[in-house]
Amino acid sequence: MKSMIRAMFAAAVLMVSACSSDGDLTPPLTVTDNGRYLATKNGDSFFWLGDTGWLLFRKLNREEALQYLDDRKEKGFNVIQAVLVHDIRNNTNIYGDSAIVANSLDRPLTTEGTSPDDPAGYDYWDHVDYIVRQARERGIYMALLPVWGSNVRSGRVTAEQARNYARWLAERYRKESNIIWVNGGDVRGSDSTAVWNAIGTTLREGDPGHLITFHPFGRTQSSEWFHNAPWLDFNMFQSGHKRYDQDTTGLSYGEDNWRYMQDDWSRTPVKPSLDGEPSYEAIPQGLHDPSQPYWGPSDVRRYAWWSVFAGACGFTYGHNAVMQFHKPGDENPAYGVKEYWDEALDAPGSSQLIHLKELILSKPFFDRVPSQELLTGVDGTGYYHIAVTRGEGYALAYTCNGSVINIDTDKLGWREFEASWLNPADGTLARIGTFGCRGPAAFDPPGDSEQGNDWVLIINRLH
């Protein structure tokens, strides 16, 4: 029975991924008519499963970049978040080629007569182009962040420089089908707002065919500053890397990343949103103190399922070693990293999120909504939070610690349904049984109630 259900999932996902009118693996993306999700221009569902590869263009050579892209494609990722210029004072790549002239962001350094296809003479931007095109061939979109926020926050980038740079980027990449623009870069939109608006507005004017979002500071969301900006197509929040007890500011939601999504879901005009930086796998809890416990794969799954069931259009995974592409000989590696990037490619969490993507794509996509009202009583606080979503003919509920899921079946509006358990760690399914819609029903997941024993209840209408 388990293998049969998995085969049904796979078939549904294959049908979605195979629907491309022109054979392009990365057709341009758009926002759905209801404003909630993303789709391809030809109308296919698009579930954002991103990976954080911030220093990809700076740290990896061509062979390494292909190794990385091949691995992420195999694991089901379809978006890579990467920064084009991370530090304008130290902007050379692994080949020693500089991105800009004299630390001036509006003076990109290009070499006349070279091309991405010429390994003997490419420059920094040829290297970027090569990786972008290789990603496209693998069906991967590149979420390009023009300049990291610390450069702007420190005053090293003026609005005019930002505008000139964005104009150049728009001209260079507007014909590439697999581009998504990510303004900002770990920064509050209230800091240097004029610069971020200059970048966003200029990208929109010069490259109207690609979506734009904003990557904010930890435990903030782009909608705080730019929700009504004409250039912002969808929101992004960074739920951050702190535990509940470490988040003492009183200004954010701690580990409850679903609350950011809940906020964005209720805003008007309606725009898609997603967690673009949750706690990375294998990074210290709280980020800066390696003596603290490190986040693990069950934490990654919790952030993903919570936010998506709250209405997110996707999710971005991150790993401490991969996001900085930590290598032997690196000076002053960040955040207590313990592995090298190529070893970390196979971290457990990176292989487990495909089960979320497959499940969402196997169901009717565009009408899915958060549905906490299906629970009887309260939906739980902290790790006892139960997340519920539903669409045409189905309902899904997630527990991160094996808590009993209590469903008011009368609110389903059906006569009869079939229920199953999905294990988010390995994708296996087990049928529970067939039930009539007759008031409250309690579903007790396998195993003990403990953190990391997470399960997804799948309810499918029969009549």
Side-chain angles (χ1 to χ4, degrees):
M1 177 60 69
K2 293 181 183 179
S3 59
M4 182 178 70
I5 299 175
R6 292 205 70 185
M8 292 170 61
F9 272 15
V13 174
L14 182 61
M15 288 175 63
V16 171
S17 61
C19 294
S20 180
S21 59
D22 57 4
D24 187 357
L25 294 176
T26 57
L29 300 178
T30 187
V31 174
T32 57
D33 290 342
N34 66 6
R36 296 296 186 190
Y37 302 111
L38 303 179
T40 65
K41 288 285 190 181
N42 51 32
D44 297 333
S45 307
F46 183 81
F47 181 83
W48 173 303
L49 184 57
D51 185 40
T52 309
W54 291 132
L55 301 186
L56 168 62
F57 301 122
R58 180 178 174 185
K59 294 288 293 290
L60 297 192
N61 62 33
R62 293 195 171 191
E63 293 74 21
E64 292 167 332
L66 296 186
Q67 178 186 354
Y68 170 66
L69 293 175
D70 285 339
D71 179 88
R72 272 17 197 173
K73 174 188 175 182
E74 181 182 354
K75 291 181 170 67
F77 292 98
N78 55 11
V79 179
I80 302 296
Q81 294 175 194
V83 60
L84 292 171
V85 177
H86 184 257
D87 185 346
I88 64 174
R89 298 170 301 176
N90 181 15
N91 57 80
T92 57
N93 64 15
I94 194 170
Y95 299 108
D97 298 309
S98 298
I100 55 179
V101 177
N103 298 339
S104 297
L105 187 64
D106 59 347
R107 298 179 62 191
L109 179 58
T110 58
T111 307
E112 186 177 355
T114 66
S115 80
D117 300 321
D118 181 8
Y122 50 78
D123 63 13
Y124 185 100
W125 296 101
D126 285 336
H127 186 53
V128 171
D129 294 352
Y130 176 82
I131 295 174
V132 166
R133 294 172 189 179
Q134 289 296 321
R136 183 186 65 213
E137 292 181 6
R138 290 159 174 79
I140 295 175
Y141 293 80
M142 295 301 304
L144 300 181
L145 195 152
V147 59
W148 198 246
S150 56
N151 299 281
V152 177
R153 191 169 57 239
S154 63
R156 291 191 290 269
V157 179
T158 67
E160 184 61 25
Q161 288 175 318
R163 190 173 294 108
N164 292 335
Y165 174 55
R167 187 177 298 114
W168 181 84
L169 289 177
E171 175 62 25
R172 189 175 183 98
Y173 293 106
R174 61 186 175 86
K175 294 182 180 179
E176 299 289 347
S177 65
N178 62 327
I179 300 297
I180 303 163
W181 292 113
V182 183
N183 203 355
D186 201 36
V187 64
R188 290 181 173 88
S190 55
D191 188 312
S192 310
T193 305
V195 172
W196 304 124
N197 276 322
I199 292 176
T201 300
T202 305
L203 288 174
R204 170 60 68 239
E205 291 172 350
D207 185 13
H210 291 130
L211 299 179
I212 308 176
T213 187
F214 182 92
H215 178 271
F217 192 71
R219 292 165 294 143
T220 67
Q221 50 210 121
S222 62
S223 55
E224 292 184 38
W225 309 284
F226 301 116
H227 185 76
N228 293 311
W231 54 262
L232 188 124
D233 296 299
F234 65 99
N235 283 302
M236 181 177 283
F237 53 94
Q238 181 189 164
S239 59
H241 307 271
K242 291 189 176 183
R243 295 191 309 265
Y244 288 118
D245 63 303
Q246 294 172 327
D247 187 12
T248 59
T249 63
L251 301 175
S252 56
Y253 296 132
E255 296 176 64
D256 286 349
N257 74 331
W258 58 271
R259 293 185 186 272
Y260 296 100
M261 189 59 237
Q262 190 177 66
D263 282 353
D264 282 349
W265 184 271
S266 66
R267 296 181 191 271
T268 54
V270 175
K271 291 186 178 183
S273 185
L274 64 94
D275 194 343
E277 188 174 328
S279 296
Y280 291 151
E281 189 169 9
I283 207 166
Q285 296 176 12
L287 197 60
H288 299 290
D289 184 359
S291 69
Q292 292 290 320
Y294 281 49
W295 295 109
S298 66
D299 302 300
V300 169
R301 298 195 302 270
R302 171 169 50 86
Y303 281 109
W305 291 87
W306 268 359
S307 60
V308 169
F309 280 18
C313 63
F315 180 78
T316 297
Y317 164 85
H319 190 286
N320 190 10
V322 175
M323 68 92 178
Q324 59 184 296
F325 293 100
H326 178 47
K327 294 181 174 183
D330 281 353
E331 296 182 3
N332 303 315
Y335 309 119
V337 63
K338 296 180 178 180
E339 306 159 85
Y340 297 126
W341 74 272
D342 51 347
E343 301 168 332
L345 288 178
D346 289 325
S350 67
S351 299
Q352 295 169 353
L353 296 181
I354 192 173
H355 307 309
L356 169 60
K357 178 184 174 185
E358 288 179 342
L359 176 61
I360 295 299
L361 289 177
S362 72
K363 303 293 183 184
F365 187 82
F366 300 116
D367 65 347
R368 183 175 63 85
V369 295
S371 297
Q372 299 303 110
E373 74 280 357
L374 292 181
L375 295 173
T376 62
V378 298
D379 52 6
T381 60
Y383 298 135
Y384 289 92
H385 175 70
I386 305 293
V388 187
T389 188
R390 71 176 301 179
E392 179 61 33
Y394 72 93
L396 311 170
Y398 173 79
T399 170
C400 70
N401 61 5
S403 296
V404 175
I405 299 176
N406 295 291
I407 299 293
D408 186 346
T409 63
D410 286 338
K411 292 183 178 179
L412 292 170
W414 313 330
R415 290 191 323 223
E416 191 177 37
F417 64 89
E418 182 180 61
S420 302
W421 289 115
L422 168 69
N423 184 334
D426 61 18
T428 57
L429 288 110
R431 186 176 181 273
I432 302 171
T434 299
F435 303 86
C437 293
R438 302 185 186 92
F443 296 90
D444 189 1
D448 298 328
S449 179
E450 59 184 2
Q451 193 59 23
N453 183 36
D454 55 336
W455 291 92
V456 179
L457 174 66
I458 301 175
I459 297 174
N460 292 316
R461 180 178 59 193
L462 294 178
H463 302 288

